[in-house]
Amino acid sequence: MKPEMQATPVEPPSPGVDGRSARWARHREERRAELLEVARRVIHAQGPDVTMEDIAAASGTSKSIVYRYFEEKAQLQRAIGMHILRGMHRRLVEEVERVEAASGTAAAPGERIRAMISAYVGAAQASPNVYRFVTRPSEGLNHFLYSVARLVATALPDRTPASRAEVWSSGAVGFVQGAVDRWMSEDLGRSVSADELIDELVAWLLHGAAATAPTTQEDPS
């Protein structure tokens, strides 16, 4: 009868080494968060064309240090996009909870869609420069829009098939993004308020173009 195999004892890692690694990881995350906040402030103040040198100068550090935490500008764009997305999600949840608390029933699909669009428009309004930075064509933008689409899918009725929710939410995000981008450019924001824009976007998504088309009187001749 063969003797049982005994596992080779593994020496536990040194607590000192683990502690140093944890402290370094925590320091790195804190430093990255600080640089991200500085970048957001600089972009908000100076516009979406800021450079990594601008961010480094505002941080009181060198460009090489900034690149240590963000290897390229697209990575910074993605990180800021995720920050905006978290704020949108928080606003969406708060709005749905407010609606449900007021009515005593689950929020209807239209109310959920309105909450989502309101969160998106609010994020764009909060800092047009940061919004323009995040929505520039890049892998960072693709990731942001994909994440927003997933968030929109959560606002759909629970019985919506997953495949249909994915397709519909992606289309809705593309439509809303294009409309908001155009609304924020030039002087369109002066003629159409944010509330009007939200109302019309909700109507378009739920009922189609006919819902917001102006009525015209027929020519009597």
Side-chain angles (χ1 to χ4, degrees), residues 11 42 61-62 68 71 81 105 117 151 158 164-166 169 220:
E11 184 177 348
V42 173
T61 188
S62 66
R68 185 181 300 174
E71 296 179 0
T105 59
I117 294 176
L151 185 57
D158 296 335
R164 185 159 299 180
E166 183 176 346
S169 61

Side-chain angles (χ1 to χ4, degrees), residues 50 71 89:
V50 297
E71 296 179 0
H89 181 262

Side-chain angles (χ1 to χ4, degrees), residues 14-32 69:
S14 168
V17 173
D18 275 359
R20 285 195 296 271
S21 298
R23 286 194 297 273
W24 169 246
R26 186 166 57 250
H27 168 74
R28 182 175 176 81
E29 281 302 309
E30 290 172 352
R31 183 57 175 151
R32 187 176 187 274
Y69 292 90

